[in-house]
Amino acid sequence: MSAVLPWGSIRYMNARTTRWAHTPALPLLPSPIARPPFRPRSIANHMVTVWQPLSSRMIILAVSVVVWRWWSPTMIEAATIRPGWVAEIWLRNIVVVLGSAGLTHLWLYRWRRQGDNLRYDARPLARKRLFLFGDQTKDNMFLTLTSGVAVWTAWESFMWWAYANGVAPRLDLGGSVIGTIGFAVLLLLIPVYSNNHFAVVHWLLHRGPAYRHVHSVHHKNVNVGPWSGLAMHPVEHVLLFADVWVFLLVASSPLHLLFAMMHHGVGAPLSHTGYDAIELRRGSSGNPLRLAVGDFHHQLHHRFIECNYGGLESPLDDWLDAFHDGTPEGDRQVAERRKRLAAARRT
């Protein structure tokens, strides 16, 4: 996550090294949510920052609201699993991922609208025999549009059926003051929950056979692009989207479900752009408006592998002593950690 100031302005350290073409302000710091002591004011400031208008989190919420209102089944339809409404969800999810990954890829990599400005790793995306079709982008598109969207659709369709049949408890907006507050609080908590679910699953996928046979598919992407976000083994797709199980226990709305799922369908492509931000038109001050996307914390994971399993809102990396803050000292610590892990595997 970038060091982001309110209302879309971004604070950068103009660091150009042989390793990175661009970095955000370093060292990276975990969110106050993830690192004690509990500091209410710092947490409040963090929430204002990550929920600013020009942020990926607000885009994900906006897409979720649009889909909820205008492109989702009714409860009557969802009460029985039928090919018609399931196919509509599948088609809608194809459109969503074409918008999030496809348009972002065209803007940044095909049309090159901002060149390498704000790009972490300026090397071109790979064309190697390692990838299907000998092309990183085509390989990533295939995995995303086949297994990725199919698993996403299956989980979502099951949850719509669960809401319609009372298997998943419902929380409707406007039912009462307490219910409305709960509705809003749950929306605020979903990104933190999603981040921590991903952290645990991701760390488990780095253990032994799970990495060799499953997660290594995603790690073919050393330098990432938007289509890399959901390019993974089908088993990993199942585990990634499985975070919706919590809505079988916690009262929620289909909007909460969609918001959680769009953190993968929209959020994963945006966090894998390989750029710290997308530059939009210039604002009234003359400075470019920047849409905060990308995730240098996760970019470090793709480069060094055994670090940064979670996000900045997860304490897991601190607990595992696997937090890479982007500095040369972080490089040294992660190199030592990899040696220890390699020695442990040999014994």
Side-chain angles (χ1 to χ4, degrees), residues 90 105 152 160 188 205 219 236 242 261 273 301 321 338:
W90 174 84
H105 176 85
W152 171 6
W160 279 105
L188 292 175
L205 285 169
H219 269 283
E236 186 167 355
M261 304 209 84
T273 58
H301 173 76
D321 192 26
R338 292 182 67 174

Side-chain angles (χ1 to χ4, degrees), residues 168-221:
R170 289 278 301 278
L171 176 63
D172 294 319
L173 181 62
S176 65
V177 173
I178 295 177
T180 301
I181 293 173
F183 192 100
V185 168
L186 186 54
L187 277 178
L188 292 175
L189 292 177
I190 282 172
V192 180
Y193 161 72
S194 180
N195 194 314
N196 283 275
H197 168 88
F198 165 77
V200 173
V201 167
H202 190 195
W203 176 75
L204 290 173
L205 285 169
H206 271 263
R207 304 307 99 203
Y211 182 84
R212 290 193 299 273
H213 300 299
V214 177
H215 191 51
S216 60
V217 173
H218 183 63
H219 269 283
K220 290 188 296 183
N221 297 276

Side-chain angles (χ1 to χ4, degrees), residues 44 46 59 74 79 107 110 133-134 166 198 214 280 316 338 345:
H46 168 76
I59 291 175
T74 66
W107 181 273
R110 178 61 65 86
F133 319 111
F198 165 77
V214 177
L280 306 174
L316 181 66
R338 292 182 67 174
R345 284 193 289 267

Side-chain angles (χ1 to χ4, degrees), residues 16 19-22 112 116 119-125 223:
R16 286 191 171 273
R19 189 179 295 279
W20 302 109
H22 173 86
R112 303 278 296 162
D116 289 328
R119 189 178 179 194
Y120 303 135
D121 187 334
R123 294 176 298 173
L125 298 179
N223 190 17

Side-chain angles (χ1 to χ4, degrees), residues 96-115:
V96 168
V97 82
L98 286 174
S100 59
L103 288 180
T104 306
H105 176 85
L106 289 173
W107 181 273
L108 294 172
Y109 291 89
R110 178 61 65 86
W111 300 333
R112 303 278 296 162
R113 294 300 296 268
Q114 63 189 68

Side-chain angles (χ1 to χ4, degrees), residues 142-182:
F142 176 79
L143 294 171
T144 298
L145 294 171
T146 53
S147 168
V149 175
V151 171
W152 171 6
T153 301
W155 270 113
E156 185 182 338
S157 299
F158 166 73
M159 288 304 302
W160 279 105
W161 173 88
Y163 281 126
N165 289 279
V167 177
R170 289 278 301 278
L171 176 63
D172 294 319
L173 181 62
S176 65
V177 173
I178 295 177
T180 301
I181 293 173

